[in-house]
Amino acid sequence: MIQTKYTGRKRIAMMASRNPKSEAVYEQLFKGLKEAGFILTSKQPDIVISIGGDGMLLSAFHKYEHLLNTVRFVGVHTGHLGFYTDYRDYDVEELIENLKMDTGAKISYPVLRVILQLKNGEKLVYRALNEATLKRFSKTMVADVMINQVHFEQFRGDGLSISTPTGSTAYNKSLGGAVLHPTIEAMQLAEIASLNNRVYRTLGSSVVVPKKDKIAILPKHNDRYSLSVDNKTYVFDNIEAVGFQIDQAKIHFLATPKHTSFWERVKDAFIGDVES
Ligand code: NAP
Ligand code: MN
């Protein structure tokens, strides 16, 4: 019998978190994919496999964000089922089979573009898969919040978070924000402990703004602020404004039969099987 090998010669990069379970999955995948004829390389990959949790996929996203238009991601979770991960550690054989049959199908979700304007005229641009958060280091953050050209409110509190639809189940959810289906192209502004009394007033609830809209936060005081983008935190003393919008580019995931329904994931992660 003639064994036909996969001839597409797709380039696959793998990233694993540092624990025995992830490392075992890495070894198993490496061996299986090599045997199947894939090129295993961290340079210019077509597919990136992240092994670990959702946090690991965030790291993989940032490592390859410059290739966002051409790369597809797939996540293997070594714990419970994650939001960015379709496979579990015991599904490795199935993942290899699905990769062999892969025809390039993808499922795409919005990412956030963060534009940081510094007082010295410098402009820095970041991309977030989950969210970006602005906080003042000491004392209450006072900032003007603009939505498009409208001065929406003056915020007082710990900070503000702007999340993507897929990030809505992360920090945003802890802040009381709504869970958004990832096919909704929008971003969500959520307050972090806003001050609301007879003097200070903010909306108090989170807002969901459409793709074409832009949000800007202008901190009032010349002080030290932290800007967190997913799992990284940057510190600045000279922020003029931070702008947020849905990016032109999207994140692409490998669309496989294993891609479970978003609502199933939300239920699995936050509700579970409650006895009635
Ligand atoms: P971490 O503290 O290790 O991760 C925080 C938790 O969030 C982990 O359990 C992670 O899942 C989960 N998670 C990540 N993305 C998610 C998503 N889109 N939906 C649902 N759960 C998600 O930190 P990290 O691994 O560096 O991740 C950074 C993220 O932590 C940030 O993007 C932010 O969303 C989140 N965070 C949350 C809070 C909060 O809820 N109070 C505060 C700060 C940051 P895994 O275990 O599968 O990795
Ligand atoms: Mn984590």
Side-chain angles (χ1 to χ4, degrees), residues 40-55:
L40 294 160
T41 175
S42 57
K43 293 197 182 76
Q44 298 286 324
D46 303 303
I47 293 166
V48 172
I49 304 177
S50 131
I51 307 158
D54 286 326

Side-chain angles (χ1 to χ4, degrees), residues 2 4 16 21 26 36-37 47 77 84 88 99 105 112 118 127 134 142 147 156 162 169 210 224 248:
I2 299 164
T4 48
K21 240 180 170 177
Y26 184 98
I47 293 166
H77 211 297
Y84 294 119
R88 310 280 274 271
L99 283 167
L112 186 70
L118 299 176
R127 274 204 190 105
L134 185 69
V142 185
I147 303 182
R156 276 168 206 268
I162 288 88
T169 48
R224 179 163 291 191
Q248 291 290 330

Side-chain angles (χ1 to χ4, degrees), residues 117-236:
Q117 191 70 59
L118 299 176
K119 285 190 196 293
N120 62 8
E122 228 183 301
K123 200 171 102 173
L124 298 165
V125 179
Y126 304 91
R127 274 204 190 105
L129 179 57
N130 268 351
E131 79 288 291
T133 307
L134 185 69
K135 290 177 183 170
R136 188 176 174 187
F137 247 77
S138 57
K139 297 196 177 177
T140 308
M141 179 171 101
V142 185
D144 287 316
V145 177
M146 312 284 297
I147 303 182
N148 297 335
Q149 302 308 318
V150 177
H151 179 255
F152 189 65
E153 64 187 10
Q154 185 165 77
F155 175 86
R156 276 168 206 268
D158 284 0
L160 289 161
S161 154
I162 288 88
S163 60
T164 64
T166 52
S168 69
T169 48
Y171 196 4
N172 170 73
K173 189 174 179 299
S174 304
L175 298 172
V179 169
L180 249 68
H181 193 280
T183 51
I184 300 171
E185 292 191 289
M187 56 182 168
Q188 184 168 180
L189 169 70
E191 299 181 345
I192 310 172
S194 62
L195 247 152
N196 269 296
N197 52 35
R198 273 193 259 184
V199 187
Y200 308 126
R201 180 104 352 250
T202 59
L203 186 67
S205 63
S206 75
V207 288
V208 176
V209 308
K211 192 182 177 178
K212 62 169 182 55
D213 283 8
K214 289 178 182 172
I215 295 174
I217 303 174
L218 292 82
K220 200 170 169 70
H221 298 102
N222 237 333
D223 200 359
R224 179 163 291 191
Y225 293 85
S226 69
L227 177 70
S228 295
V229 178
D230 295 336
N231 48 14
K232 279 213 180 76
T233 299
Y234 308 92
V235 177
F236 295 95

